[in-house]
Amino acid sequence: MSLSVRYTRGFLLDLKQRLSFIKDAHELLEMKRDQLVREIKKAISRFQELRRKVELEMEDLYRDLAIIHAIYGSKELISSSRTLSDHMEIEILPKSIMGVDVPEVKIKYLPDIKNKYPLHITRVAEKASAIISDLLKLAEIESIIEQIAEDLRNTNVRVNALEKVVIPTYENLIKRIGEIIDQSALEEFMRIKLVKKALTRRRGQI
Amino acid sequence: MSLIYLICRAHGYASRLLKRELILELASLQSLQQFVEHLAATEYGEKLKTVKTLIELENTIAEVFLDRLRSLLKIAEESGGADFLKTYLEKYDVQNIVWLLRMKLGKASKEEISSLLIPFREISKIDIEEILEAEDLAQALEVIRRSKAYKLPETVGSLLELEAELWKSYYMRVFKKISSIPIRDRVEVKRLLGLEVELINLRTCILSAVKRLDRGTAEKMFIENPAGTSRRKLRHFLESYDEKFYLEHFPAYRSYLEKIISGKEPFAEIERLRILKKFAEKQRIPKFISFFYVIKYILDLEAEYRDLRAILISIYHGIPNDVRLQLLINS
């Protein structure tokens, strides 16, 4: 941090104002950091819960799929997987959490799979469709966690920089300038006193 | 040559089918390499030597199955019975068309679709190449309509209805062709086909009863069954009863019906094939020299093909041994 230091009362006053502003900013950043920590904790617990659910659902789905594959063969499975001509449509909207831009995934259109798949595939297709919605939610939360974590890291760096570097530097500078100003005021006082004494002495001789 | 020659050859060919013990042994294996090694001394051995991937293994097993059907068909052409057999085996043609249409719906390329089809053109009623060339599903359906091989309505509500229409045409033709086989053997063949259709129709009924299929679609999917419950009666069942009715009314198929009700449809498919196989086995003893034996042999062939396919895919996915046994028709 480089500051062109002037040892004046005006500059000291300016520094004190700046320090007060920095302290306010530090306090606000601390509040933001605490809130981000709360948000990330909330997101992580939601993520863990949903991930556990999705993992179980995926296991179940793969088990069913393996059984269908074994009973009907690869060709039946491949051809069945191509029967849905509709595609799922999603929209990714930006959302702000404590000033952090995070994505919000909205499913705009989910194809209706009833009567679209061969009857023996329908159940697995329904399960897969439900899991896709959960996977999207999982991706959304994962992205929220990533974005908040990145911002949290930056906020933490700022808070630490203010706390450990900027504020102490300003305080030291204020203290040093204050001391120098006090010292020069004392010197000035002494000088005036001496001049006064010399003048009084000179007047007495006359 | 007479039809008896075909029946005797079918008996001879049946001795080449894999023994149940070997099938069960295969089902307990842990790797595809072991699977290939265990089949080395059989008809599959030579062909399996060079294959590496799952899909290649599947295709090789299918190849052996089709070669066996071709041999049977060749003898049938010389000794009679080919007329019915060709029509009966058209189910693989229907299967091809079903896969083809699904892929067309999904805008798959010609190459992708070709790689999927069962290479059994000898029995095909339709020029598959022409359907492959079609630009979209609508054009493909037009080709099928033009061929007059399958009756398709002008408007088709869903893929399920479309597939059902193809199967309806197939069964109608097979039932008609029963008249081409000797009178003394017709009853068993008709009953077997009736049973096949009955099980398909009951599945449609139950799926509608448990609300997994629209009633309107279900009604359109019923296949006319001259040797089983009529469509009119099935429609009445559909309107009046819930799934429990079917369990009480058709106790012989209880295990099959229960699996559909509980949502275990893939297992119901295995149960369906087991019921058909059991039916064919029951008829075998009193009618040893019968054309029905040829049909039974075809069922056995298909059961072996499907069992081997199920085993190798189970090994590939690491499905537990106890579950593998549930996937076998010959368990």
Side-chain angles (χ1 to χ4, degrees):
Chain A
M1 197 174 65
S2 67
L3 270 172
S4 58
V5 182
R6 281 173 289 122
Y7 298 96
T8 60
R9 284 192 186 281
F11 188 67
L12 182 68
L13 212 61
D14 185 35
L15 275 184
K16 279 183 178 170
Q17 275 171 352
R18 277 198 228 177
L19 181 64
S20 153
F21 177 74
I22 288 168
K23 278 183 174 169
D24 285 348
H26 174 251
E27 205 174 315
L28 276 173
L29 281 173
E30 264 187 339
M31 279 160 66
K32 182 186 176 183
R33 184 182 61 182
D34 294 347
Q35 187 57 32
L36 286 178
V37 168
R38 272 195 289 276
E39 288 289 346
I40 208 166
K41 271 186 181 168
K42 210 163 74 183
I44 287 172
S45 93
R46 262 167 66 210
F47 180 79
Q48 283 173 334
E49 198 180 312
L50 193 61
R51 199 187 159 103
R52 258 196 302 275
K53 182 179 166 246
V54 169
E55 273 175 0
L56 288 175
E57 284 173 350
M58 285 291 247
E59 262 178 43
D60 188 42
L61 177 72
Y62 276 119
R63 207 172 24 240
D64 286 357
L65 210 56
I67 283 170
I68 287 178
H69 189 191
I71 292 176
Y72 296 96
S74 301
K75 293 176 177 186
E76 174 69 17
L77 205 59
I78 292 169
S79 69
S80 300
S81 67
R82 301 295 288 257
T83 56
L84 196 68
S85 48
D86 275 4
H87 294 288
M88 181 184 204
E89 279 177 37
I90 60 164
E91 196 174 24
I92 300 174
L93 301 165
K95 195 173 82 175
S96 179
I97 297 176
M98 290 300 294
V100 184
D101 284 339
V102 292
E104 186 182 10
V105 182
K106 266 195 175 169
I107 297 172
K108 276 181 79 182
Y109 173 68
L110 195 63
D112 179 20
I113 53 178
K114 205 172 181 198
N115 295 352
K116 297 264 173 76
Y117 282 106
L119 295 170
H120 51 275
I121 303 281
T122 310
R123 244 179 131 74
V124 171
E126 281 167 357
K127 275 187 189 176
S129 176
I131 290 177
I132 284 177
S133 306
D134 282 346
L135 277 174
L136 283 173
K137 195 81 210 154
L138 207 60
E140 180 191 303
I141 301 173
E142 199 172 325
S143 176
I144 289 174
I145 292 170
E146 267 177 26
Q147 303 285 351
I148 294 179
E150 180 61 23
D151 201 78
L152 185 63
R153 196 182 65 83
N154 288 338
T155 310
N156 219 11
V157 167
R158 283 189 196 118
V159 169
N160 284 340
L162 289 177
E163 203 173 288
K164 305 271 190 306
V165 182
V166 180
I167 294 175
T169 310
Y170 267 80
E171 281 173 345
N172 284 341
L173 199 58
I174 288 168
K175 194 179 161 200
R176 193 147 56 90
I177 294 173
E179 278 170 5
I180 289 171
I181 289 174
D182 283 352
Q183 207 176 345
S184 44
L186 192 66
E187 276 172 12
E188 190 67 20
F189 176 72
M190 289 304 290
R191 202 178 299 122
I192 291 169
K193 220 173 173 184
L194 284 173
V195 169
K196 224 176 178 178
K197 218 177 186 178
L199 282 174
T200 319
R201 213 183 301 134
R202 211 177 284 167
R203 274 191 206 118
Q205 280 173 355
I206 295 168
Chain B
M1 275 186 283
S2 73
L3 199 63
I4 292 181
Y5 178 69
L6 172 71
I7 299 163
C8 292
R9 286 301 297 264
H11 275 280
Y13 283 142
S15 64
R16 290 193 209 165
L17 288 167
L18 300 182
K19 299 278 172 289
R20 188 175 164 268
E21 292 70 33
L22 179 60
I23 300 261
L24 294 178
E25 206 180 311
L26 288 167
S28 65
L29 299 176
Q30 297 307 313
S31 73
L32 293 178
Q33 184 59 39
Q34 287 176 336
F35 178 84
V36 172
E37 283 166 11
H38 268 72
L39 286 174
T42 66
E43 216 174 327
Y44 297 91
E46 200 57 38
K47 288 186 171 169
L48 285 173
K49 259 183 189 169
T50 52
V51 297
K52 292 268 182 289
T53 62
L54 176 73
I55 201 90
E56 282 173 355
L57 279 165
E58 258 189 271
N59 285 341
T60 308
I61 290 170
E63 212 178 292
V64 174
F65 168 61
L66 293 174
D67 282 348
R68 286 167 164 184
L69 288 179
R70 278 190 196 103
S71 309
L72 197 71
L73 211 53
K74 203 174 160 202
I75 297 165
E77 270 162 9
E78 292 160 6
S79 56
D83 206 18
F84 177 79
L85 276 189
K86 265 191 174 173
T87 313
Y88 180 69
L89 294 175
E90 270 169 28
K91 59 179 165 185
Y92 302 110
D93 192 34
V94 179
Q95 188 61 75
N96 266 346
I97 297 169
V98 164
W99 286 341
L100 202 155
L101 294 178
R102 285 180 193 168
M103 296 294 273
K104 279 278 171 207
L105 188 66
K107 297 181 178 60
S109 70
K110 194 182 158 188
E111 291 71 31
E112 262 183 292
I113 304 174
S114 299
S115 68
L116 218 64
L117 302 180
I118 304 166
F120 201 16
R121 302 284 159 92
E122 317 60 333
I123 44 100
S124 192
K125 290 281 283 181
I126 203 164
D127 185 4
I128 294 282
E129 277 300 317
E130 210 184 335
I131 314 179
L132 274 173
E133 292 297 335
E135 276 176 22
D136 52 22
L137 183 70
Q139 220 177 74
L141 291 178
E142 206 39 57
V143 174
I144 299 172
R145 277 192 198 102
R146 249 199 339 259
S147 75
K148 296 200 168 45
Y150 298 94
K151 259 194 193 168
L152 292 182
E154 277 308 309
T155 50
V156 185
S158 68
L159 191 79
L160 289 179
E161 284 173 44
L162 179 61
E163 291 180 11
E165 289 299 331
L166 291 167
W167 287 111
K168 273 187 220 173
S169 289
Y170 163 74
Y171 280 111
M172 202 160 58
R173 230 179 1 246
V174 184
F175 274 116
K176 267 187 193 165
K177 278 285 169 197
I178 290 178
S179 59
S180 70
I181 56 175
I183 297 174
R184 64 178 187 281
D185 301 330
R186 282 179 200 168
V187 180
E188 285 82 10
V189 176
K190 195 173 176 180
R191 280 177 62 204
L192 177 78
L193 287 170
L195 177 61
E196 211 172 304
V197 175
E198 186 89 324
L199 294 174
I200 297 171
N201 282 341
L202 284 177
R203 182 180 76 145
T204 308
C205 281
I206 289 188
L207 286 175
S208 174
V210 295
K211 308 277 181 274
R212 294 215 299 271
L213 184 65
D214 298 336
R215 188 186 289 179
T217 311
E219 280 185 19
K220 286 179 195 162
M221 284 172 70
F222 286 141
I223 300 169
E224 191 55 73
N225 190 356
T229 315
S230 70
R231 272 200 289 192
R232 195 179 55 80
K233 215 168 177 183
L234 288 169
R235 273 193 207 108
H236 170 68
F237 288 169
L238 212 57
E239 280 165 21
S240 321
Y241 305 108
D242 64 0
E243 67 271 21
K244 284 179 200 125
F245 162 80
Y246 300 98
L247 293 176
E248 286 161 18
H249 206 76
F250 299 95
Y253 320 134
R254 199 182 175 92
S255 59
Y256 169 71
L257 303 176
E258 277 175 343
K259 284 188 173 73
I260 303 172
I261 293 170
S262 60
K264 290 178 182 165
E265 272 207 74
F267 290 102
E269 170 70 3
I270 298 296
E271 199 55 41
R272 184 181 75 86
L273 294 164
R274 282 180 189 159
I275 292 171
L276 291 175
K277 204 168 173 304
K278 214 191 265 175
F279 173 85
E281 271 158 13
K282 266 189 192 167
Q283 313 302 311
R284 186 186 156 199
I285 299 157
K287 292 256 179 190
F288 206 62
I289 301 293
S290 155
F291 180 75
F292 183 75
Y293 189 83
V294 180
I295 303 295
K296 183 205 169 286
Y297 170 64
I298 294 173
L299 279 180
D300 288 341
L301 273 184
E302 186 163 352
E304 181 181 301
Y305 161 60
R306 294 184 73 142
D307 278 353
L308 288 180
R309 190 179 65 188
I311 291 169
L312 76 92
I313 297 174
S314 299
I315 294 172
Y316 178 78
H317 285 297
I319 294 175
N321 285 8
D322 57 325
V323 182
R324 281 184 204 177
L325 294 178
Q326 294 172 38
L327 307 179
L328 301 181
I329 303 159
N330 291 306
S331 66

